[in-house]
Amino acid sequence: MSEAKVTILGCGSAKPTKTTSPSAQLVEMGDKSFLVDCGEGAVITMQKLGIRTGRLYNIFISHLHGDHCFGLIGLLTTLGMLKRTQPMHIYAHPDLEKLLTPLLEYHANDRQYEIIFHPINPRKHEVIFEDRTVSVETIPLKHSVPTCGFLFKETHRVKNEDGTFCYETRKRYAYCSDTQYSEKILPIIEGVETLYHESTFLQSMAARSKEVKHSTAADAATIAMKAGAGKLILGHYSARIEDHSLFLDEAKPIFENTILAEENNVIDL
């Protein structure tokens, strides 16, 4: 089984900057690749990094704010130009299909592959994808629009002494997209090996963070500490804060094993 890892394609919030693009990650687990959110320019970063889109079959969109899905039409039309024939599965709020279909009909009606939409309920915790090596569950979050994170579980088939087989969870990765601080997610992510949690603001901006239903670096670190996570990745930085080390300075006193999401970085899970 291949090594589990995440490639950061975008780690900024709504406003792109010289150093950050909107949210997008490529999760590789169980010999599969999963795209998690698809902010503007994600396909460009994938091309620069030499990521093979032919291995990508599943896309998970946390919510329908533009900085998490505006890159989809660019990616899907590019795949058409690359003569893709394999289906692409997209898991998202039901409204995404309504929004994206007219654009696909106008810009990519000659594509040779099928796009299959899987509507999900962001307010419900449930398994939305499962095969022999990986399962994906939703993590209901607290944001200004229906939003969920995703819990990736890598499983391994083990033979019992009686000759039967069972599946063991080997690694787990929790992606907690835009959200206000919420301890309701703790039972879902408890003991997770790696947690990505948005940290749009610093604690000095806590009032603004609460107003727009985002988290501070201290909020993210507190969630990681209370969940007993192994490692915390911060991301979704406000464009107002150019020095990302400030997020780390705020989080580490609460949760020591914290790192920053930086574009093009590959992080072992």
Side-chain angles (χ1 to χ4, degrees):
M1 193 170 287
S2 62
E3 184 179 4
K5 58 187 178 181
V6 58
T7 301
I8 307 300
L9 305 175
C11 61
S13 54
K15 182 181 177 182
T17 70
K18 293 179 181 179
T19 59
T20 60
S21 302
S23 296
Q25 298 185 3
L26 186 78
V27 175
E28 296 177 77
M29 182 180 283
D31 295 318
K32 297 174 181 65
S33 297
F34 305 94
L35 182 63
V36 187
D37 281 340
C38 190
E40 185 177 0
V43 66
I44 298 174
T45 305
M46 294 172 72
Q47 293 292 329
K48 288 180 178 178
L49 295 177
I51 292 172
R52 296 170 55 191
T53 54
R55 296 184 62 239
L56 179 63
Y57 295 94
N58 299 280
I59 300 173
F60 298 87
I61 303 298
S62 64
H63 65 294
L64 301 189
H65 278 161
D67 55 323
H68 294 259
C69 63
F70 278 173
L72 270 174
I73 188 63
L75 171 62
L76 297 174
T77 54
T78 297
L79 294 178
M81 288 186 284
L82 292 173
K83 306 301 181 184
R84 180 187 179 97
T85 57
Q86 307 98 324
M88 179 65 77
H89 297 262
I90 301 178
Y91 301 78
H93 187 284
D95 285 353
L96 181 63
E97 183 174 6
K98 301 175 187 177
L99 295 169
L100 203 55
T101 297
L103 293 174
L104 291 169
E105 290 176 351
Y106 191 89
H107 295 287
N109 63 349
D110 60 345
R111 68 184 188 279
Q112 300 175 24
Y113 70 97
E114 183 182 7
I115 297 172
I116 303 170
F117 290 93
H118 299 265
I120 63 175
N121 181 355
R123 294 187 174 92
K124 184 178 180 181
H125 171 223
E126 60 183 338
V127 176
I128 57 172
F129 172 90
E130 189 172 26
D131 66 8
R132 293 189 306 106
T133 59
V134 179
S135 67
V136 183
E137 302 172 15
T138 49
I139 307 171
L141 299 174
K142 190 176 181 180
H143 193 38
S144 56
V145 298
T147 304
C148 66
F150 301 104
L151 178 63
F152 292 83
K153 293 182 179 180
E154 181 184 49
T155 57
H156 178 64
R157 193 171 81 152
V158 178
K159 189 173 184 179
N160 299 317
E161 292 183 357
D162 61 2
T164 61
F165 290 91
C166 66
Y167 287 89
E168 295 181 350
T169 299
R170 299 183 63 176
K171 289 189 177 182
R172 293 180 299 159
Y173 174 56
Y175 173 86
C176 292
S177 176
D178 298 15
T179 184
Q180 189 175 344
Y181 179 87
S182 174
E183 294 186 1
K184 290 183 178 180
I185 69 174
L186 292 177
I188 302 174
I189 66 171
E190 182 180 5
V192 71
E193 287 80 3
T194 305
L195 166 67
Y196 168 87
H197 194 290
E198 74 115 297
S199 57
T200 307
F201 297 106
L202 298 172
Q203 200 61 23
S204 60
M205 304 171 175
R208 175 60 177 166
S209 179
K210 186 175 182 179
E211 178 186 356
V212 294
K213 298 188 183 300
H214 279 291
S215 294
T216 66
D219 289 335
T222 302
I223 288 293
M225 180 267 294
K226 291 189 174 184
K231 175 169 57 185
L232 170 65
I233 306 172
L234 301 178
H236 201 266
Y237 315 117
S238 168
R240 302 179 187 181
I241 306 168
E242 295 184 1
D243 184 359
H244 294 169
S245 68
L246 296 175
F247 293 98
L248 209 57
D249 293 342
E250 183 170 291
K252 271 185 167 291
I254 303 170
F255 188 81
E256 173 62 28
N257 196 15
T258 301
I259 62 175
L260 295 174
E262 297 289 357
E263 295 190 15
N264 306 331
N265 279 8
V266 180
I267 302 169
D268 292 332
L269 299 177

